[in-house]
Amino acid sequence: MSTADAPVATLTPIEARLELERLASAIARHDHAYHVLAQPVISDAEYDALVRRNAAIEARFPEFVRPDSPSRRIGAAPAEGFRKVRHAVPMLSLDNAFTDEDVREFASRLRRFLGLAADEPVAMVAEPKIDGLSIALRYENGRFVQGATRGDGTEGEDVTANLRTLADLPRTIVGAPRVLEVRGEVYMTKADFLALNARQESAGDRVFANPRNAAAGSLRQLDPRVTATRPLSLFAYALGEVSEPVADSHWHFLDHLRQWGFKVNPLAKLCPDADAVLAFYHQIGNDRAGLAYDIDGVVYKVDRFDWQARLGTKDRSPRWAIAHKFPAEQARTRLKAIHISVGRTGVLTPWAELEPVNVGGVVVSRATLHNEDDIRRKDIRAGDTVVIQRAGDVIPQVVGPVSDQPRGRGEYSIRAALTPPGGDHPVCPACGSHAARAENEAVWRCTGGLVCPAQAKERLIHFASRDAFDIEGLGEKNIEFLWDKEYIRQPADIFRLGEENRVRLQKLENFEGWGKRSVEKLFAAIDARRTVPLERLIYALGIRQVGEATAKRLARHYVSFCHWREAMEAAAAGDDEAYRDLTSIEDIGPSVAADLLAFFAEEHNTTALDKLVAQLRRIDDARAAHTGGSPIAGRAVVFTGTLATMTRQEAKARAEALGAKVVGSVSRKTDYVVAGTDPGSKATEAQKLGVPILTEQQWLDLVKG
Ligand code: IVH
């Protein structure tokens, strides 16, 4: 009998060591045959027997467990999840266009930005917008080394092993730059999706709502062997990090992708102008149902790479591309009841509980009703049969009641719904404080502020959410739990949860669903966020009208937390100059400013902020995070006169991307005036105040350096 057949119980230590070595290499070989070559040489049952034998020997001889043991590779993944990958170049999303008019406007925006004549065509490549999930594929010296999901655009998950199981993925490529990151979409064809669901159903496993979910669920399997059984496809369509230029236009880049062995959507088309892309869109719209895969629109990309570079990017999307969406998908269902939820800013939002219905492939059981006026205008009542619509990722909406069905119970009144039986005024359903609708506002609000648990809870959920502090493991459910246990009431409490509070911690571990490991992981995740970029901190505070884009603008303008804080308090205290400086920031008008200052005027807010900051290790300056020490970061710049190499808009966008503040008029606080030809009064003013005046060339040299 060879060692390979000997019962585990009879193995000597030396035999056990040899046998573990043999099994490790055999299992690795079979993994490769299965995942990479897609040509398994043994059956699943035989494979499982090898894995079990390996585990049994390791159990008897734990001292011989090898560093490359298959049990470590297979067993370790599920508990840990995927490794995080930081994208060298952010993975952006796309702005949307819904009408032909939007697309023409996009085309003229491009022309204006680039300073082209009205009749100069801007060629674009039009490609179907595949409804799957985007991924980044990294090749080094022609070998596929890493694949990652988009995640939040900055950081995704390492799904390399799973991607290796895709037949469409080239594993090696010839003639590519040393570093090449190709981006594309993983998707499932409609036929593969139906067949997979049939298989899942007969095996008693979960079925997927649509091909997109099926693709996402299959790619994010912790065991690559499961992914390997799922029929995933891949189209390549974009470039990420690259060590040297690969093409001068998107159209030529697509040629390279094909040569390298990637699948490129065969419908992609080079269009000379806006008319041509619109013709393509309407054609695809007609053919949509007959395509093998789901698409939700058409993407248009400026063809010339030099123009793409000049156009650059905005907060989360490039200026050189747009997604032209197809109209929303609709369905009919019964509206069972109207409920009211309390948002983090106290807004009371009515929402519809629906008889679950499939809308364009997704099962919907809730929809927003926006506000009182909207309900009244559409005359929506509980009990109605209504039309529901879903536009992309947007929360489903109730379009209105259908007229050919019996109507529901009487007219809906939010005032009546908020007034308890026997009560004489409307109250917040969460805290019982007065509910009121301000004169010129469309919404009802709870007046309970921080005493309202729904608001405070929603604020905490927002605070920990992905785009804010991004505390892993602190989602809605866990915040509710910690809130109900009275462990957290405000952001600072999150950071005090573990500190000096062993008892609480131990108590926590005894609660259901909170194993020792998950508690430890949560504390580690919280600790990891004691260092935070300023813009995230500002966004996390949940101030009304201060979304991500505004938070980013504030952070870039004030650069450091201390500056921002001082400026806000000064403005809130009535300092005119501070107020003018605030409203000079793009998109910050009197209304946003009023909300910001209202936040700082409330003492309980500033106290909560102080307590939070005391818990943090560091708040990163906006300059450091974004501009890598650019010489113009934080500087106030005025452009005047006609520039020769770029449009004013382009100059402004570039300066802001490097952290400068571009302002409209010259004052003592201006750092530079950049003067083109015919500069006019601003240059004179600068001279008078002694502000440095740069020529366009001097400016270009400065920002280049
Ligand atoms: S280009 C910087 N091309 O749409 C632009 N995206 O809303 C990068 N998508 O996250 C994207 N088909 O998942 C591009 N032909 C296509 C696409 C496409 C689908 C998805 C992609 C992206 C999302 C943006």
Side-chain angles (χ1 to χ4, degrees), residues 75-134:
E80 298 302 329
F82 297 102
R83 211 171 55 84
K84 292 271 196 275
V85 173
R86 248 193 124 66
H87 299 300
V89 178
M91 288 184 82
L92 303 169
S93 54
L94 294 171
D95 278 353
N96 291 328
F98 295 98
T99 63
D100 288 11
E101 202 37 51
D102 292 347
V103 175
R104 290 190 197 285
E105 175 50 34
F106 168 68
S108 35
R109 230 172 19 240
L110 295 173
R111 213 172 283 115
R112 273 201 306 278
F113 192 99
L114 294 168
L116 307 179
D119 54 355
E120 177 148 10
V122 179
M124 289 181 260
V125 176
E127 299 167 4
K129 185 168 186 294
I130 312 296
D131 203 5
L133 62 147
S134 49

Side-chain angles (χ1 to χ4, degrees), residues 31 39 126 175 179 353 502 505 573 576 680 697:
D31 282 342
Q39 278 173 336
V179 174
E353 181 190 345
R502 280 275 158 230
L505 185 144
D576 238 19
Q697 191 53 51

Side-chain angles (χ1 to χ4, degrees), residues 90-96 126-135 150 183-186 212 235-239 250 265 295-301 313 316-318 320-323 325 393:
M91 288 184 82
L92 303 169
S93 54
L94 294 171
D95 278 353
N96 291 328
E127 299 167 4
K129 185 168 186 294
I130 312 296
D131 203 5
L133 62 147
S134 49
I135 37 111
R150 174 168 185 273
R183 290 170 177 185
E185 200 87 353
V186 169
R212 209 197 91 79
F235 276 133
Y237 54 62
L239 192 58
H250 186 65
N265 194 309
I295 62 174
D296 56 351
V298 176
V299 182
Y300 309 138
K301 303 172 182 174
T313 62
R316 293 196 151 209
S317 52
W320 47 264
I322 199 159
K325 304 295 277 280
D393 289 332

Side-chain angles (χ1 to χ4, degrees), residues 244-396:
E244 61 204 76
V246 289
D248 56 2
S249 71
H250 186 65
W251 190 244
H252 289 147
F253 167 62
L254 294 183
D255 280 339
H256 285 295
L257 284 176
R258 283 188 208 96
Q259 277 159 19
W260 289 328
F262 291 95
K263 294 245 163 80
V264 172
N265 194 309
L267 298 171
K269 189 171 178 186
L270 178 60
C271 301
D273 53 24
D275 285 339
V277 300
L278 288 172
F280 179 87
Y281 171 86
H282 292 291
Q283 180 67 48
I284 294 281
N286 287 332
D287 302 345
R288 184 180 177 192
L291 292 179
Y293 40 81
D294 274 346
I295 62 174
D296 56 351
V298 176
V299 182
Y300 309 138
K301 303 172 182 174
V302 168
D303 188 40
R304 279 176 56 165
F305 275 177
D306 58 338
W307 281 354
Q308 286 192 6
R310 280 180 58 194
L311 286 157
T313 62
K314 295 178 295 181
D315 292 322
R316 293 196 151 209
S317 52
R319 276 192 202 85
W320 47 264
I322 199 159
H324 191 178
K325 304 295 277 280
F326 289 126
E329 319 230 36
Q330 297 192 329
R332 277 180 173 208
T333 189
R334 210 178 72 86
L335 192 161
K336 290 179 16 189
I338 298 177
H339 304 279
I340 296 168
S341 67
V342 190
R344 75 184 143 84
T345 53
V347 174
L348 304 174
T349 306
W351 58 273
E353 181 190 345
L354 306 167
E355 202 70 68
V357 61
N358 189 312
V359 193
V362 172
V363 177
V364 167
S365 55
R366 270 168 165 247
T368 173
L369 288 166
H370 301 294
N371 57 49
E372 182 175 27
D373 297 344
D374 214 43
I375 299 179
R376 190 166 301 144
R377 193 168 46 77
K378 296 172 179 169
D379 189 18
I380 295 165
R381 308 170 181 194
D384 280 349
T385 299
V386 290
V387 173
I388 304 300
Q389 97 175 5
R390 212 173 54 85
D393 289 332
V394 185
I395 307 165

